Amino acid sequence: MELFWHRRDLRIADNVGLAAAADRGKAAGVFVFDPDVLDHASDVRVRRLLDGLAVLRDAYRDRESDLLVARGDPESVLPSLADGLDADRVVWNRDYTGLARERDAAVRRALDSAGIAREAHHDAVLHEPGSIRTNAGDPYSVYTYYWRKWTDRETDPPAATPDSADFLDAEALRAAVGAEDGASTDARTDGGVAADRVAVGDLPAPGDLGFSEADAEVGLAGTEAARDRLDAFLSEAVFAYGKDRDYPSREATSRMSAFLKYGEIGVREAYEATERAMETAESSDRPEEHVESIEEFQQQLAWREFYAQVLYHNPEVVTANYKTYEEGIEWRDDSEEIAAWKRGETGYPIVDAGMRQLREEAFMHNRVRMIVASFLTKDLLADWRHGYEHFRERLADHDTANDNGGWQWAASTGTDAQPYFRIFNPMTQGERYDPEAAYIKEYVPEMRGLDADLIHEWHELSTTQRANAAPEYPAPIVDHSERREEALEMYKRARGEDPEE
DNA sequence: AGGCTGTTTCC
DNA sequence: GAAACAGCC
């Protein structure tokens, strides 16, 4: 039999490694709660992970098998589990972040010295890091060129979905790992998975892992929810995606990010669905912009893979600037301003709406992510790492490569051919992308009774006007045009130029 | 995946 | 006087 190690691929369908394992013999699936990974987790992401694992576990149960749940260092858990199961091989799908690669190297060494075969598969992206390069053989650092090659390339079809016959049944799993029969999963109160044993289908509660219950709604988890969401999106909303995606109140985006982050849907399956939608649009009387709209959505999948390969080739950017400045950037890093940003109390309505959406829903619309990131780095002149850390804490869909790429882009330290243009005007952005202030009013209740015009002019109202309009909502904590000038000077100094010139 | 400023154009 | 545009950072 073969032991398949689930990591960021909480699904049975379109799972390349699992399909390969099941193709050769009976497979068993395991998830390992790794203390080194949990060190970087948060309440909302543990909640979201456990939700995804519960659905995965049920998918195994539907196939008369179950999900093995272990806790400990994978390099010690996996060899002993593989030995206990008498597994022929341990199989997994590659993960491209630096931490994951170090962990996987340690697991490879441990399995090799235990004499257990292992196999890693290309699954998480359509086009693996390293496979798309410039004609000179270098990795791409400019998205537009990367996209051209990405979209021209042939893609693999979805991997086969194993069925009951492909899995070791639940009884055999219990016998092999010595778990007591009928171990209950949901009503368990005795501390969850013990460190010294492997449970069969028995998932811990957040408290068992050292986390608190999430204070945000994390959204639905699992393959079926992902497919429902994608089908609904591709059947109608995607045709307006190009036109509407930047307007946060229109809910025009796919909301697939968390499903993709946890691998509850395979990227081949998702991409194939977009290709089918494209064919349908072309063969019906859809206008040209509807077809182009689908391609714009495909571009989002390409951005995900672009940043995955940036991180793969530059693992140090998790903590270091991608673009180095001669003199280094002297961030202002005012802790009270950063705290106001996190609370959603900056006095810039679109910024505060986004930060409050993040707190309530563990999600933020992507246009607003860019606005709040520009505000933190260019208006508060705070180091992007403060923002990245906060997103990592609060976003259910947090993905190291995507979030790091996005933050460094916003901070002018990332992969951007024109980094010095990226200072957003938070009022202009609010006016342009939330003209009716519908998004703002949804998340900033203090402003619900106000005219949109008044909301977009908040920064230039008098104290009296503000007190009359929305007494509970703060005045702007900084002056955008002053801070804009300061930001330009800060970057000039960082480049070693005289800010007076 | 922009914004600012000065200038021209259009009511 | 607003809106569109160009040039520039």
Side-chain angles (χ1 to χ4, degrees):
Chain A
M1 62 81 62
E2 310 230 345
L3 180 61
F4 182 77
W5 177 25
H6 287 277
R7 297 106 61 83
R8 287 184 48 172
D9 47 2
L10 307 185
R11 67 181 185 281
I12 285 178
D14 186 23
N15 184 321
V16 175
L18 181 59
D23 198 40
R24 284 187 296 252
K26 296 275 188 184
V30 62
F31 185 85
V32 183
F33 286 98
D34 177 347
D36 288 340
V37 173
L38 290 173
D39 271 352
H40 297 268
S42 70
D43 295 343
V44 291
R45 281 190 293 120
V46 164
R47 177 73 272 155
R48 183 62 182 72
L49 170 66
L50 290 172
D51 289 352
L53 285 169
V55 178
L56 177 66
R57 186 257 325 270
D58 292 347
Y60 273 100
R61 288 182 175 174
D62 287 344
R63 289 163 176 80
E64 288 146 57
S65 184
D66 211 327
L67 178 68
L68 298 170
V69 179
R71 200 166 151 187
D73 291 321
E75 60 196 270
S76 59
V77 168
L78 290 167
S80 76
L81 181 59
D83 189 48
L85 288 163
D86 202 18
D88 298 310
R89 195 179 283 101
V90 180
V91 182
W92 62 85
N93 292 317
R94 289 189 199 106
D95 184 343
Y96 305 103
T97 68
L99 195 67
R101 285 160 68 195
E102 285 172 26
R103 173 198 61 198
D104 294 353
V107 170
R108 281 199 301 274
R109 286 192 294 272
L111 289 169
D112 288 351
S113 61
I116 300 165
R118 35 80 179 178
E119 188 176 273
H121 288 264
H122 155 43
D123 169 271
V125 286
L126 285 173
H127 305 298
E128 205 166 31
S131 70
I132 293 184
R133 291 172 181 272
T134 66
N135 296 338
D138 300 322
Y140 278 102
S141 60
V142 177
Y143 171 76
T144 313
Y145 300 116
Y146 176 83
W147 157 252
R148 283 182 199 144
K149 279 202 181 164
W150 188 91
T151 191
D152 283 345
R153 196 147 296 199
E154 287 294 310
T155 55
D156 293 330
T161 305
D163 58 27
S164 304
D166 295 310
F167 293 108
L168 213 59
D169 68 48
E171 205 172 316
L173 288 178
R174 277 194 290 271
V177 304
E180 64 274 29
D181 234 17
S184 157
T185 55
D186 299 323
R188 204 184 160 88
T189 54
D190 63 356
V193 181
D196 60 346
R197 79 177 184 97
V198 175
V200 181
D202 196 4
L203 290 166
D208 304 325
L209 302 169
F211 290 86
S212 301
E213 278 299 338
D215 56 357
E217 293 294 327
V218 297
L220 293 174
T223 303
E224 194 180 335
R227 284 175 169 168
D228 287 350
R229 179 68 215 156
L230 185 63
D231 287 350
F233 176 69
L234 291 177
S235 67
E236 194 49 53
V238 71
F239 300 117
Y241 182 74
K243 175 172 72 70
D244 287 348
R245 67 189 178 95
D246 275 323
Y247 296 82
S249 72
R250 296 187 188 175
E251 293 175 25
T253 62
S254 74
R255 308 241 359 190
M256 293 301 292
S257 52
F259 296 121
L260 285 166
K261 182 253 154 68
Y262 288 99
E264 292 162 357
I265 191 165
V267 70
R268 287 155 303 279
E269 179 181 326
Y271 186 77
E272 189 178 68
T274 67
E275 289 283 87
R276 280 200 303 272
M278 184 92 77
E279 287 161 19
T280 308
E282 281 169 344
S283 62
S284 58
D285 285 331
R286 291 279 178 183
E288 181 60 25
E289 60 262 32
H290 286 198
V291 178
E292 288 168 5
S293 201
I294 299 171
E295 189 174 278
E296 282 200 52
F297 177 64
Q298 290 178 331
Q299 287 225 31
Q300 302 307 313
L301 296 174
W303 270 108
R304 173 176 174 272
E305 305 203 355
F306 173 71
Y307 280 137
Q309 60 101 42
V310 169
L311 184 60
Y312 176 83
H313 292 292
N314 311 276
E316 73 287 352
V317 302
V318 176
T319 51
N321 291 345
Y322 174 87
K323 174 185 164 53
T324 52
Y325 283 82
E326 205 172 323
E327 303 294 330
I329 302 170
E330 289 170 50
W331 300 102
R332 184 185 185 100
D333 277 351
D334 181 306
S335 58
E336 283 185 22
E337 291 179 1
I338 296 170
W341 176 82
K342 290 182 181 175
R343 289 196 306 272
E345 293 176 5
T346 67
Y348 283 88
I350 190 75
V351 174
D352 294 338
M355 297 308 292
R356 295 184 196 188
Q357 181 184 27
L358 174 62
R359 193 161 286 274
E360 289 165 28
E361 299 176 8
F363 179 83
M364 198 191 305
H365 186 280
N366 190 56
R367 164 57 53 179
V368 190
R369 293 188 199 202
M370 291 192 276
I371 298 171
V372 304
S374 176
F375 190 82
L376 183 78
T377 54
K378 308 295 170 64
D379 283 87
L380 302 186
L381 296 95
D383 193 326
W384 61 268
R385 294 165 188 86
H386 296 293
Y388 174 78
E389 295 288 322
H390 186 66
F391 273 27
R392 189 171 71 171
E393 182 79 17
R394 303 295 315 186
L395 276 174
D397 66 20
H398 165 72
D399 173 282
T400 305
N402 289 335
D403 281 358
N404 184 270
W407 272 103
Q408 296 230 40
W409 179 85
S412 303
T413 63
T415 51
D416 186 350
Q418 295 293 348
Y420 312 121
F421 298 178
R422 312 301 179 186
I423 300 180
F424 286 25
N425 182 320
M427 292 80 73
T428 309
Q429 291 277 319
E431 231 171 333
R432 187 178 301 161
Y433 297 114
D434 192 25
E436 311 297 324
Y439 175 81
I440 290 168
K441 288 181 185 180
E442 183 173 355
Y443 296 103
V444 184
E446 303 99 294
M447 304 198 116
R448 272 182 199 157
L450 274 60
D451 283 348
D453 292 349
L454 207 60
I455 292 175
H456 296 310
E457 286 166 6
W458 190 253
H459 60 289
E460 47 195 23
L461 299 184
S462 69
T463 311
T464 317
Q465 285 173 310
R466 276 198 279 262
N468 287 332
E472 304 298 314
Y473 186 71
I477 60 169
V478 294
D479 180 291
H480 170 69
S481 40
E482 280 176 18
R483 288 300 178 90
R484 177 177 189 276
E485 294 306 316
E486 276 189 56
L488 290 169
E489 288 167 17
M490 179 180 81
Y491 284 98
K492 266 191 181 172
R493 279 194 298 273
R495 292 199 298 274
E497 296 168 21
D498 183 355
E500 300 303 315
E501 280 176 19

